[in-house]
Amino acid sequence: MVNNESQRGGRSKDRAAVISAIAALITALVGLAAFLVGKGKDTGDAALPGVTTETVASTTSGTSPAQAVQQTPQAKPLPAGVQLDEEVIFGEWNLDSVPPRKVSSEKIQALAGEMLYVTGKHVLAEWPGSTPPDKEQCAAQVSESGFNQVDDLVKGAIVCGRTPEGRIFRLDVLASGSEIRVHATVWTK
């Protein structure tokens, strides 16, 4: 009987140690994520447009992961006539929404690391110059040369486009390759 109690007491201590180790690991991962998001906030890199992360770390094993992270949207003043002006890492986004939404249709998506492809009524056109165009210049470029994709994107390239709801946008390419990262400006209708 003493043996069974010793074994149960040992298992309880082992479980507590495992739970504490898992809580410490989760806290460390949350801290790392917050550091990376915070670092991105300083340089303009944001994993999710318009969202910042604050971390509240605890050394007690009673802190749940849900209590460890709180997300708070940060509003930044936008220039007149602009509904979005921030960095975006391309996945499958619809730029009519603020912040951009991941959707299954009517989207712009990155393909092969150097190509943007659209579905639905989005239209894209690469800007031929190096000076960023304004809304009217982008609208003219899209009307003249709009297509469902742009290829061979490199850092410094500029892409103009029109959303399904008719908003004109400009994407200033910050990086391509393993991901396409842009500074997106979407003008209001």
Side-chain angles (χ1 to χ4, degrees), residues 90 109-111 113-117 124-127 149-159 171 173 175-177 179-180 182:
F90 266 93
Q109 66 186 44
L111 294 177
E114 288 140 4
M115 173 197 279
L116 288 176
Y117 177 80
L124 300 173
E126 189 163 2
W127 179 251
Q149 68 186 44
V150 290
D151 301 345
D152 303 322
L153 290 175
V154 296
K155 181 179 179 178
I158 300 170
V159 176
L171 306 175
V173 179
S176 65
E179 66 184 13
I180 297 177
V182 304

Side-chain angles (χ1 to χ4, degrees), residues 7-137:
Q7 287 176 342
R8 275 186 272 172
R11 278 189 246 147
S12 289
K13 288 180 183 177
D14 289 342
R15 282 187 197 135
V18 168
I19 290 170
S20 293
I22 291 171
L25 178 61
I26 289 170
T27 301
L29 290 173
V30 167
L32 176 61
F35 169 77
L36 293 174
V37 169
K39 182 176 179 183
K41 191 168 82 172
D42 293 340
T43 62
D45 296 344
L48 293 175
V51 177
T52 58
T53 304
E54 294 178 21
T55 301
V56 179
S58 172
T59 56
T60 64
S61 62
T63 303
S64 74
Q67 294 168 330
V69 176
Q70 299 172 350
Q71 292 185 349
T72 309
Q74 292 285 338
K76 77 177 187 182
L78 294 172
V82 174
Q83 82 170 28
L84 179 74
D85 186 34
E86 59 190 54
E87 200 166 299
V88 176
I89 297 173
F90 266 93
E92 299 177 348
W93 300 109
N94 181 307
L95 296 178
D96 278 319
S97 302
V98 177
R101 277 186 325 152
K102 184 173 180 170
V103 293
S104 59
S105 63
E106 299 287 347
K107 63 187 174 190
I108 304 171
Q109 66 186 44
L111 294 177
E114 288 140 4
M115 173 197 279
L116 288 176
Y117 177 80
V118 298
T119 60
K121 296 179 183 175
H122 278 95
V123 179
L124 300 173
E126 189 163 2
W127 179 251
S130 58
T131 304
D134 62 20
K135 180 180 180 179
E136 289 74 27
Q137 291 170 316

